[in-house]
Each structure stands twice: as structure tokens, then as C-alpha cells.
Amino acid sequence: MAEAVFHPPKRKRRVFESYKAPFPVDVGGKDFRLCQAEIINNNVIVRNPEDIEQLYNKGYFGKGILSRSRPVFSISDPQLVAKWRGVNTNMPIITSQKYQRRVQWAQSVLQEQGLDSCSISRILESYTQPLGLPFCTGDGDGHTGHSCTSGSPGNAEVCKKSAGRKGAQSPEGQNQHSKEGGDAALDPGGASRDQEQGDPREMAEGSCHRDPPVLWGCEGKQSPEQRAWEGMDSRECAPEYVLVQEEEEGSCCPEDDSTPAQENIVKKEVLVCRKNPFRIFEYLQLSLEEAFFLVYALGCLSIYYGEEPLSIVKLWEVFSEVKPDFKTTYMAYHYFRGKGWVPKVGLKYGTDLLLYRKGPPFYHASYSVIAELVDDHFEGSLRRPLSWMALSGLNRTNANASKELMLCYLIRPSDMTAEEMATPECMKRIKVQELIVSRWVSSRERSEQDEL
């Protein structure tokens, strides 16, 4: 067996961020933060925005449930953001079609709650009506008025009519970059407070609709798990304000009197502030290996199932039931994390783990890892008994993606009992052997032998 040759990691051409820290803990524990997560449908979810930022920015743990990796999902339309770049606000800007789609989703949720069509129409009409917002100029002063400014790109015109159409505004300032799921960007002032007054049940039903596998509504009986996260639910139940691009009523006019009106009709567009009737929150989803590493190895995460956090031994037991090969994959994850690698799920390439240097934003994955738990004689029931054809195909798949295939053998003593494996303390007796699989090319071997 030849000795493996180390190939340096391949750095990405474009890097848009700086490296902060390998782990979400500080040396000395001065700024130690204990993050919180919860188990929902056998998944570990982090809901607090500060915890999400801490875990992902320092160690790149988890992924956004609505994003490819970093949780940066936003409801804003990038084209509209560029079009209305003179508007000084951090609220999302969406099209009227996208807003109506969310109204339909909210209507469907209310129908599932057993409300009649008249009540649903009344709730949505009251909740989605235009709002009057004080706008901010470049110096941050807020004021209102009845003037119109037509300095936007193209034929768009931003109008501010508090007396007529509330919420249509004409601020000029910087670009906005807002994420869906955050708190309300601006205080809507007295006008919005007056509109929010009324039946609290109607307002809660109109504002709090969630993705069922992860989030809950704000009405009905609260489970113990909901009460444990009451503080987080209060943030999620707060209304979200969006700017909707709509065509101004009666704004179509001929561009030139000398030409037919039908040929040169200019449609004036305005931004109308409304409340989003169907909010979608993005959370951080941790793999079972990442979650257990944060709890067991770093001690910076508490995982709740109900009102009480689960102990390390209980998590080891629960995760092993959810994922039968969890012990094997976690041992490999723990080993490579301790070596300075950033392991991520390798399902895309048919393996257990992908190993990154520093993190996915900086380097491409160097190795695709398959973990196997064996005894001293390299015997045991393999998780993935590979044939030569399957091994060759897997190796070719990873080689085409510039990754090396690694077999990670976790060697346990022959006298280790099932009771010892029932706790994570069994890892102290586990040995690791790495084996890199490479394709033998006869012509390359001949040339290397001739050079020697």
C-alpha cells in the first residue's frame, strides 16, 4: 500500500467574506454565549437570529432552511431593489403579484382554521390595507406630506399621499437590503397603530402563518415546546412591513398629444406600504453531528425537546434512534473537526462527509469521506459494502469534481461492550485509520517508474 500524497486544497476564485473563527467560542470564555436549539420532526433547528449568526459565522455550522448554505433568504426582488435604489428604507420591496400570492396563502390557512369566507375577507381586507409611514431622507429626518416626486428611474414615479393613498412614498436615499423574517424595519406610526387596533384574534390570525414543519401559529393551545419559546414567538408574531410596487390608480396618460393615446400610455408606479399577511422565516438547520458536537465538544449549545434541555447521554440515545449509523458518522465528524477541517454533509457526492479547509466560502471540498466502524481485525458489518464496480464509480464521480475519496475506518477494541457504546465516552478508545482511494493509471505509473 503506497503512502498517500497530500494535495493542497483548491481555493475559490471569488471570496466575499473574511475568516472570523474556527468555533463559536472565544479563548478564555470572556464572551461566551450559550445558544439554544430545538428538535422538530427529528431535525435540530436554531431560531434566534443572534444564535444563527454566531454558529454560522464562527465555524460554518448548519445551513439556512431556505438558502443554499448561509441563511440569507430575502423576500425582496433584486430588480426592484435596484430600480428603487433612491428609496431610503430597509423594508423589502416586492411586486404586486408576489404580494397577492401571499394573500392567497393566508386565505388558505384561515380556511383551514374553519373561518367562513366573510370573516376571511374582512380580516384580510383590514390587515392588508395601505399604511401611512413616515419616510426618512438622507439625514434620517422623518416627515409626511402630500407632494409627488418623479425622479425615479424609467417611468416610475414615487408618490407620497397620506391623505389619499396611504403608504405611497417618495423618499430618496440609499439602497435597502432587508431579509424576510426580521423585525419590522420602521415604526409605522400612529396610522398603523390605529389600524392594528381591533379584534386581537383577527390580527393574530392574519399576521402569523408559518411553515408547519418548523413554525407554529399564534393562536390555539400552546404546547410545552411553544411555551419554552414564548419569547421567540413574540418576535415572530410581530407584523412585517413590505413595500409593494403597484400601479397608481388613474395614472395612465398619453406621453405626447400629437400621437394616439393608446400607443404612448405611461403607467406610473408607486410603492405602497402594507403588512405581509404570510411571513416565512428562515432558520438554521443543524445536522445531528453538528448539533452533538456543539453540545458535547464545545458546550455552547442547549437542545430542547419540550421545556427542558436534553442531556448529552440522552442526545446520544435520541440521535442514535433517529439515525441508526449516527455513532459512526459522529465519530468521524468529531475526529476531522478536531483536525481543523470543516465537515459538511456529503450526500451530494454519495459519501458521508465533505471536508473543507476553513469553510465552504473559502475553499472547495478536498475529500469525500466514507466512515466505517470495524474491530481490531477490520471485520464487522459494514454500513456500505462496496463492490469494485460501485467503488470505481464513486471514485470517478469524486475525481471529476476534483475531490479525493477517503475511507475512514473507526477501529474499536474487540472487548468493547454495547454498554460502553451507549455513551459518547466510548470515543476515548476508538482509533482512526484513513485510506485514500485513487485510480491506478498504467501509463502514468510507467512514466513515473521511467523517471526513477
Coordinates of all heavy atoms in Angstrom, one line a residue, residues 331 411-421 425-430:
M331 N -18.4 10.0 15.1 CA -17.0 9.8 15.5 C -16.1 10.3 14.4 O -15.1 10.9 14.7 CB -16.8 8.3 15.7 CG -17.4 7.7 16.9 SD -17.1 5.9 17.1 CE -18.1 5.5 18.5
I411 N -11.8 2.2 14.4 CA -11.4 0.9 14.9 C -11.7 0.9 16.4 O -11.1 1.6 17.2 CB -9.9 0.6 14.7 CG1 -9.5 0.7 13.2 CG2 -9.5 -0.8 15.2 CD1 -8.1 0.7 12.9
R412 N -12.6 0.0 16.8 CA -12.9 -0.2 18.2 C -12.3 -1.5 18.8 O -12.2 -2.5 18.0 CB -14.4 -0.2 18.4 CG -15.1 -1.4 17.8 CD -16.6 -1.4 18.2 NE -17.3 -2.5 17.7 CZ -18.6 -2.8 17.9 NH1 -19.3 -1.9 18.6 NH2 -19.1 -3.9 17.4
P413 N -11.9 -1.5 20.0 CA -11.4 -2.7 20.6 C -12.4 -3.9 20.6 O -13.6 -3.7 20.7 CB -11.0 -2.3 22.0 CG -10.9 -0.8 22.0 CD -11.9 -0.4 21.0
S414 N -11.9 -5.1 20.5 CA -12.7 -6.2 20.4 C -13.5 -6.4 21.7 O -14.6 -7.1 21.7 CB -11.9 -7.5 20.1 OG -11.3 -7.3 18.8
D415 N -12.9 -6.0 22.8 CA -13.6 -6.2 24.1 C -14.6 -5.1 24.5 O -15.1 -5.0 25.6 CB -12.5 -6.3 25.2 CG -11.6 -5.1 25.3 OD1 -11.7 -4.3 24.4 OD2 -10.9 -5.0 26.3
M416 N -14.8 -4.1 23.6 CA -15.8 -3.0 23.9 C -17.2 -3.6 23.9 O -17.6 -4.2 22.9 CB -15.6 -1.9 22.9 CG -16.5 -0.7 23.2 SD -16.2 0.7 22.1 CE -14.7 1.3 22.8
T417 N -17.9 -3.3 24.9 CA -19.3 -3.8 25.0 C -20.3 -2.8 24.5 O -20.0 -1.6 24.3 CB -19.6 -4.2 26.5 OG1 -19.5 -3.0 27.3 CG2 -18.6 -5.2 27.0
A418 N -21.6 -3.3 24.4 CA -22.6 -2.4 24.0 C -22.9 -1.3 25.0 O -23.4 -0.2 24.7 CB -23.9 -3.2 23.7
E419 N -22.7 -1.7 26.3 CA -22.9 -0.6 27.3 C -22.0 0.5 27.2 O -22.3 1.7 27.4 CB -22.8 -1.3 28.7 CG -23.9 -2.2 29.1 CD -23.8 -3.6 28.4 OE1 -22.8 -3.8 27.8 OE2 -24.8 -4.3 28.5
E420 N -20.7 0.2 26.8 CA -19.8 1.3 26.6 C -20.1 2.2 25.4 O -19.9 3.4 25.4 CB -18.4 0.7 26.4 CG -17.8 0.0 27.6 CD -16.4 -0.5 27.4 OE1 -15.4 0.4 27.4 OE2 -16.2 -1.7 27.2
M421 N -20.7 1.5 24.4 CA -21.1 2.3 23.2 C -22.3 3.1 23.4 O -22.7 3.9 22.6 CB -21.3 1.3 22.0 CG -20.1 0.6 21.5 SD -19.0 1.7 20.6 CE -20.0 2.2 19.2
E425 N -18.5 8.5 25.8 CA -17.2 8.2 26.3 C -16.5 7.1 25.6 O -15.3 6.9 25.8 CB -17.3 7.9 27.8 CG -17.9 9.1 28.7 CD -16.9 10.3 28.6 OE1 -15.7 10.1 28.7 OE2 -17.5 11.4 28.4
C426 N -17.2 6.3 24.8 CA -16.6 5.2 24.1 C -15.5 5.7 23.1 O -14.6 5.0 22.7 CB -17.6 4.4 23.4 SG -18.5 5.2 22.1
M427 N -15.6 7.0 22.7 CA -14.7 7.5 21.7 C -13.3 7.6 22.2 O -12.3 7.7 21.4 CB -15.2 8.9 21.2 CG -16.5 8.9 20.4 SD -16.8 10.5 19.7 CE -17.2 11.5 21.1
K428 N -13.1 7.6 23.5 CA -11.7 7.6 24.0 C -10.9 6.4 23.6 O -9.7 6.4 23.6 CB -11.8 7.8 25.5 CG -12.4 9.1 26.0 CD -12.5 9.2 27.5 CE -13.1 10.5 28.0 NZ -13.1 10.6 29.4
R429 N -11.6 5.3 23.3 CA -10.9 4.0 23.0 C -10.9 3.7 21.5 O -10.5 2.7 21.1 CB -11.6 2.9 23.7 CG -11.6 3.0 25.3 CD -12.1 1.8 25.9 NE -11.4 0.6 25.6 CZ -11.8 -0.7 25.9 NH1 -12.9 -0.9 26.5 NH2 -11.0 -1.7 25.5
I430 N -11.5 4.6 20.7 CA -11.6 4.4 19.3 C -10.3 4.9 18.6 O -9.8 6.0 18.9 CB -12.8 5.2 18.7 CG1 -14.1 4.6 19.3 CG2 -12.9 5.0 17.2 CD1 -14.4 3.2 19.0

